[in-house]
């Protein structure tokens, strides 16, 4: 296994070493994704005293589907065990709890960037950029290990912008090497494709960064080598679609979509548990 894959294996949530921060720090509103309102900093009523979810196996049926498509990319255990040295928000001061709730979303953003950078480092076509990608990785990793006070004033948005320029370059290099994609106009960055009928569409090497693909029909579509960073795949139908080699697809994106036995996913993404296992 490459160093980059070793790095990505560490960017997965480890709830056993986290203080349930996603259930405390993040706000949510009553909707199709959440059964109730919860402000940032207030523990979810389903969070138990051992920092585990009391309805984990019933989240969808209980109206908390939004929880099933969330991934902290390992930020939860980083903030719990390293940033705050294993001091639980339950036992510290009110200021300590507020600081944890403030820092966690920031580190989560940085960990998501680390995930993308690790993937970019694995792209053969992006080999000329590896020195810059490794430097960006090292800088981002150092930022995640700052003190709570330093993280609170960090301009994460500015850092993301700088890294995104590099990720776009890596994406362009990788997509230009996709057979059948060269010379074809497939720039759908930020496109409104809500409910779009894209059944069987040839989207090899397409730029779908930030595209709105909510409830889109992508059955049987060829998405090999497409850039999916930030694409909204909620309720998109990926039945029979080929996503092998897709760039920057995350587990939450796949979890939010619908798929089937014939859906092919990149090796970095696990087949969602709620997808059917037989035709």
């Amino acid at each position: 296994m490459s160093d980059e894959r070793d790095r990505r294996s560490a960017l997965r949530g480890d709830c056993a070493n986290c203080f349930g921060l996603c259930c405390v720090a993040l706000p949510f509103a009553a909707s199709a994704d959440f059964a109730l309102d919860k402000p940032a900093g207030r523990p979810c009523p389903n969070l138990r005293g051992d920092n585990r979810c009391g309805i984990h196996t019933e989240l969808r049926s209980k109206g908390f589907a939004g929880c099933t498509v969330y991934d902290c990319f390992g930020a939860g255990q980083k903030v719990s065990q390293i940033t705050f040295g294993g001091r639980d928000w339950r036992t510290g001061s009110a200021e300590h709890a507020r600081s944890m709730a403030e820092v966690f979303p920031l580190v989560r953003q940085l960990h998501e960037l680390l995930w993308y950078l690790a993937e970019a480092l694995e792209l053969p076509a992006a080999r000329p950029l590896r020195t810059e990608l490794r430097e960006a990785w090292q800088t981002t990793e150092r930022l995640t290990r700052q003190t709570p006070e330093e993280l609170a004033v960090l301009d994460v948005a500015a850092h993301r912008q700088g890294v995104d320029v590099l990720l776009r370059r890596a994406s362009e290099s990788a997509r230009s090497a996709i057979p059948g994609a060269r010379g074809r106009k497939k720039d759908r960055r930020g496109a409104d494709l809500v409910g779009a009928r894209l059944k069987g569409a040839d989207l090899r090497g397409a730029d779908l960064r930030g595209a709105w693909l909510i409830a889109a029909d992508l059955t049987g579509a060829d998405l090999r080598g497409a850039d999916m960073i930030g694409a909204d795949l909620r309720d998109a139908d990926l039945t029979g679609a080929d996503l092998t080699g897709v760039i920057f697809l995350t587990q939450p994106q796949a979890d939010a979509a619908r798929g089937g036995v014939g859906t092919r996913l990149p090796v970095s993404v696990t087949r969602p548990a709620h997808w059917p296992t037989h035709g």
Side-chain angles (χ1 to χ4, degrees):
M1 180 179 288
S2 69
D3 290 341
E4 284 70 43
R5 288 182 181 175
D6 287 337
R7 288 166 176 164
R8 273 212 282 180
S9 69
L11 295 171
R12 298 183 185 276
D14 179 6
C15 296
N17 285 300
C18 177
F19 299 139
L21 296 183
C22 62
C23 306
V24 179
L26 306 179
F28 49 73
S31 62
D33 293 322
F34 297 101
L36 48 81
D37 293 319
K38 187 192 84 65
R42 179 182 298 173
C44 173
N46 297 310
L47 183 65
R48 303 185 316 203
D50 63 357
N51 295 318
R52 296 301 185 99
C53 175
I55 60 168
H56 181 71
T57 60
E58 305 172 280
L59 284 168
R60 288 182 177 273
S61 62
K62 295 287 188 180
F64 288 86
C67 298
T68 69
V69 298
Y70 178 79
D71 189 341
C72 74
F73 297 97
Q77 64 261 29
K78 170 74 72 65
V79 172
S80 297
Q81 303 301 329
I82 296 178
T83 311
F84 288 90
R87 291 178 294 133
D88 196 332
W89 56 268
R90 299 176 187 274
T91 57
S93 65
E95 178 56 36
H96 172 74
R98 282 194 296 271
S99 182
M100 290 192 86
E102 179 182 57
V103 165
F104 169 68
L106 302 175
V107 177
R108 193 269 182 192
Q109 290 186 60
L110 294 172
H111 268 234
E112 184 178 8
L113 285 180
L114 288 174
W115 178 273
Y116 293 139
L117 286 166
E119 180 168 351
L121 280 162
E122 293 179 35
L123 297 172
R127 187 173 290 109
L129 298 173
R130 283 184 179 171
T131 297
E132 292 176 77
L133 288 166
R134 285 196 178 100
E135 289 175 352
W137 165 280
Q138 292 164 358
T139 298
T140 304
E141 169 61 18
R142 282 197 298 271
L143 291 177
T144 70
R145 294 179 180 274
Q146 291 189 118
T147 66
E149 293 75 20
E150 291 170 327
L151 285 164
V153 297
L154 176 65
D155 190 342
V156 176
H159 181 69
R160 286 183 68 100
Q161 282 186 326
V163 171
D164 190 56
V165 171
L166 185 56
L167 293 175
R168 281 202 300 267
R169 290 169 59 197
S171 169
E172 289 165 1
S173 296
R175 288 185 293 107
S176 66
I178 301 298
R182 185 181 295 276
R184 300 176 62 183
K185 183 175 178 58
K186 294 186 179 180
D187 184 354
R188 293 184 170 90
R189 286 176 293 176
D192 183 352
L193 297 171
V194 175
R197 298 177 180 177
L198 297 167
K199 183 176 182 178
D202 181 359
L203 293 167
R204 286 174 294 172
D207 187 350
L208 292 165
R209 297 168 64 91
W212 294 78
L213 288 158
I214 302 169
D217 180 3
L218 288 161
T219 56
D222 190 345
L223 289 152
R224 287 176 292 173
D227 185 341
M228 303 291 286
I229 195 168
D232 193 334
L233 292 170
R234 283 177 293 168
D235 206 34
D237 192 347
L238 298 173
T239 302
D242 190 348
L243 289 87
T244 53
V246 160
I247 307 168
F248 304 138
L249 180 74
T250 64
Q251 191 66 49
Q253 286 173 298
D255 290 341
R258 292 180 289 127
V261 177
T263 305
R264 301 178 66 187
L265 293 168
V267 295
S268 60
V269 175
T270 301
R271 184 171 295 275
H274 64 280
W275 285 12
T277 56
H278 54 80

